[in-house]
């Protein structure tokens, strides 16, 4: 039991630290969302890579062509001319780019490279967005605003999963993803670009040769983040651009998505993988191991330890949920239905993280939008197989 108590003390300390980080996240969100926007509206090129017709596609991409922004263009990029989603975007005031199949790089990255070559000469800012995100009408204005400071390398938001019909798997995915969102904040050294909502000055993008650095990669956002950090340019997290990703998943899709994310992290940001595995492993050992101990022998100290750990995590989950309700106010009713999941399911999200990390330690093969990749290194990806869009 002595070893268990030592591990419990460490887990409690990390839990307290996590709660304090959560409070800092809340303060940052409130501060940033109340700040007036600068008068900065350069011409923007929005690039939206797509493959296949996913649920909610039309509702997700429609706001892209209806932004409250003076001058901008939208480029939808597909690898196949017969992609079923093309029929939907044809009705929008947007460009359609056909990139062709990728060879030696990720299809999404290949699409982005093809689209960058087609942007308007007037473009001053390039914005990358995913088609599973559903931005608000003022999303572009708020995403570009931090770039008025020329010392900022990039401005980035992040996703927040909003279950549509509900279900345990969908809600657990939202809880799993939430801990990543709250890792962002005022510390620009720890921030990262999320490919679903990132803005970067065209001059910065070209000066850092991002297209060349994308060669052989699958992760567009991890690569941009690395390039910016090498250039000592900060990434500004923009809470106003926390974007709803509306939809549901089953448990197979949940495990596939979360494991893919951690496998990508393992390859492109290996310094994050080991602490994540050790941290989630420590918590699971103490929390779920404590529950197992109680089944064998009732112990008041163990009950107290479990209560402390659970309350620390539940408190952080609650204040984080309160914070994201500010930028995602239009989804308030759905978020209200999700509150119980964030308060009670977070231990299982930690268990899922541990599983993801263990699997990522033994495999670098992922399936993404019907294409299977083997991630050899941060600069080498091999396409194993591909299905039609």
């Amino acid at each position: 039991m002595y070893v268990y108590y030592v591990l419990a003390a460490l887990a409690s300390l990390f839990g307290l630290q996590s709660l304090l980080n959560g409070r800092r996240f809340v303060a940052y969100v409130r501060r940033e969302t109340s700040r007036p926007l600068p008068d900065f509206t350069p011409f923007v090129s929005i690039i939206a890579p797509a493959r296949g017709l996913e649920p909610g596609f039309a509702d997700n991409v429609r706001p892209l062509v209806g932004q409250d922004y003076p001058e901008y263009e939208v480029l939808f990029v597909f690898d196949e001319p017969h992609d079923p989603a093309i029929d939907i975007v044809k009705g929008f005031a947007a460009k359609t780019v056909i990139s062709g199949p990728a060879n030696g790089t990720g299809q999404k990255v290949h699409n982005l490279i093809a689209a960058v070559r087609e942007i308007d000469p007037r473009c001053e800012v390039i914005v990358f967005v995913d088609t599973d995100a559903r931005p608000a009408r003022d999303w572009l204005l708020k995403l570009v605003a931090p770039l008025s400071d020329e010392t900022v390398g990039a401005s980035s938001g992040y996703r927040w999963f909003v279950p549509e019909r509900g279900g345990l798997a969908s809600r657990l995915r939202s809880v799993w993803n939430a801990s990543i969102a709250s890792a962002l904040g005022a510390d620009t050294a720890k921030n990262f670009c999320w490919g679903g909502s990132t803005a970067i000055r065209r001059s910065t993008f070209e000066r850092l040769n991002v297209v060349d650095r994308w060669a052989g990669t699958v992760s567009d956002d991890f690569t941009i983040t690395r390039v910016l950090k090498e250039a000592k340019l900060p990434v500004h997290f923009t809470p106003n651009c926390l974007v709803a990703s509306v939809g549901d998943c089953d448990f197979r899709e949940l495990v596939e998505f979360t494991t893919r994310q951690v496998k990508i992290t393992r390859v492109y940001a290996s310094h994050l993988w080991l602490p994540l595995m050790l941290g989630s492993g420590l918590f699971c050992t103490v929390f779920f191991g404590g529950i197992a101990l109680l089944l064998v022998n009732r112990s008041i100290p163990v009950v107290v330890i479990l209560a402390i750990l659970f309350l620390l995590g539940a408190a952080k989950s609650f204040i984080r949920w309160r914070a994201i309700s500010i930028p995602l106010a239009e989804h308030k009713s759905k978020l209200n239905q999700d509150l119980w999941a964030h308060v009670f399911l977070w231990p299982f999200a930690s268990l899922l993280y541990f599983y993801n990390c263990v699997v990522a330690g033994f495999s670098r093969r992922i399936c993404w939008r019907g294409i299977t990749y083997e991630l050899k290194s941060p600069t080498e990806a091999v396409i194993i197989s591909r299905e039609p869009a």
Side-chain angles (χ1 to χ4, degrees):
M1 289 299 292
Y2 175 76
V3 174
Y4 177 80
Y5 291 143
V6 171
L7 295 177
L10 287 173
S12 299
L13 181 61
F14 291 148
L16 178 60
Q17 183 182 42
S18 180
L19 176 59
L20 294 176
N21 289 339
R23 289 178 61 86
R24 283 191 281 270
F25 172 77
V26 172
Y28 180 78
V29 170
R30 288 175 175 167
R31 184 169 65 251
E32 287 290 309
T33 53
S34 62
R35 181 174 297 175
L37 296 178
D39 184 17
F40 181 67
T41 54
F43 189 94
V44 174
S45 294
I46 300 176
I47 299 178
R51 190 172 202 272
L53 191 57
E54 60 197 345
F57 179 84
D59 292 332
N60 293 340
V61 301
R62 189 175 294 111
L64 295 178
V65 295
Q67 289 292 301
D68 291 331
Y69 194 88
E71 289 189 292
Y72 72 100
E73 65 172 346
V74 182
L75 296 88
F76 291 103
V77 202
F78 302 88
D79 60 311
E80 299 177 4
H82 305 297
D83 193 298
I86 292 180
D87 290 336
I88 292 178
V89 303
K90 278 182 179 178
F92 298 145
K95 294 181 182 178
T96 300
V97 178
I98 305 300
S99 67
N103 182 20
T105 191
Q107 186 64 56
K108 180 184 179 183
V109 171
H110 179 75
N111 286 9
L112 294 178
I113 293 173
V116 165
R117 293 171 178 153
E118 301 292 332
I119 59 178
D120 194 291
R122 296 173 293 168
C123 170
E124 293 183 50
V125 172
I126 304 173
V127 168
F128 304 107
V129 65
D130 286 344
T131 55
D132 60 353
R134 191 170 300 177
R137 288 180 60 86
D138 58 355
W139 161 79
L140 184 58
L141 187 68
K142 292 177 176 177
L143 184 63
V144 171
L147 297 182
S148 61
D149 180 354
E150 295 187 6
T151 65
V152 171
S155 167
S156 183
Y158 196 65
R159 75 164 73 84
W160 188 275
F161 282 112
V162 179
E164 194 163 27
R165 295 185 302 274
L168 191 59
S170 300
R171 298 193 191 284
L172 184 54
R173 181 177 65 172
S174 180
V175 177
W176 183 96
N177 177 79
S179 61
I180 304 174
S182 58
L184 298 162
D187 188 350
T188 57
K190 294 182 179 179
N191 289 342
F192 56 85
C193 295
W194 174 55
S197 189
T198 287
I200 184 171
R201 285 179 177 269
R202 182 179 186 178
S203 57
T204 302
F205 183 87
E206 293 176 346
R207 176 167 56 86
L208 298 180
N209 297 314
V210 175
V211 167
D212 292 339
R213 296 295 296 273
W214 269 341
T217 68
V218 165
S219 176
D220 55 307
D221 40 21
F222 267 128
T223 303
I224 292 179
T225 300
R226 184 186 307 114
V227 171
L228 290 171
K229 289 186 183 299
E230 288 175 358
K232 294 181 170 53
L233 291 174
V235 176
H236 181 89
F237 170 52
T238 309
N240 278 314
C241 296
L242 274 166
V243 183
S245 185
V246 182
D248 299 304
C249 68
D250 56 29
F251 279 101
R252 181 190 61 80
E253 293 167 329
L254 166 67
V255 173
E256 180 183 0
F257 167 76
T258 57
T259 303
R260 181 175 68 241
Q261 299 304 307
V262 176
K263 283 183 178 181
I264 292 173
T265 301
R266 170 79 171 90
V267 174
Y268 291 93
S270 56
H271 63 285
L272 299 176
W273 169 75
L274 185 57
L276 179 59
M277 183 172 70
L278 293 177
S280 57
L282 173 63
F283 170 80
C284 291
T285 299
V286 175
F287 189 81
F288 293 103
I291 293 175
L293 286 174
L294 288 180
L295 294 177
V296 176
N297 182 27
R298 293 182 182 180
S299 170
I300 297 300
V302 173
V303 172
V304 172
I305 289 169
L306 294 179
I308 290 173
L309 289 177
F310 179 80
L311 290 174
L312 286 171
K316 179 182 179 180
S317 296
F318 177 72
I319 62 174
R320 178 173 55 206
W321 174 87
R322 287 281 300 273
I324 61 92
S325 297
I326 300 172
L328 295 177
E330 64 180 283
H331 299 278
K332 184 67 175 178
S333 61
K334 292 287 187 183
L335 294 176
N336 286 342
Q337 296 173 25
D338 221 22
L339 174 58
W340 71 267
H342 285 270
V343 172
F344 293 105
L345 294 184
W346 70 267
F348 299 98
S350 295
L351 185 61
L352 182 56
Y353 265 115
F354 184 62
Y355 167 82
N356 300 146
C357 288
V358 171
V359 174
F362 293 94
S363 171
R364 295 189 174 194
R365 182 166 295 192
I366 65 170
C367 184
W368 197 356
R369 299 285 179 126
I371 303 175
T372 301
Y373 303 93
E374 184 73 29
L375 307 181
K376 297 289 187 179
S377 73
T379 57
E380 183 182 4
V382 177
I383 296 178
I384 305 299
S385 64
R386 62 186 302 137
E387 300 173 0

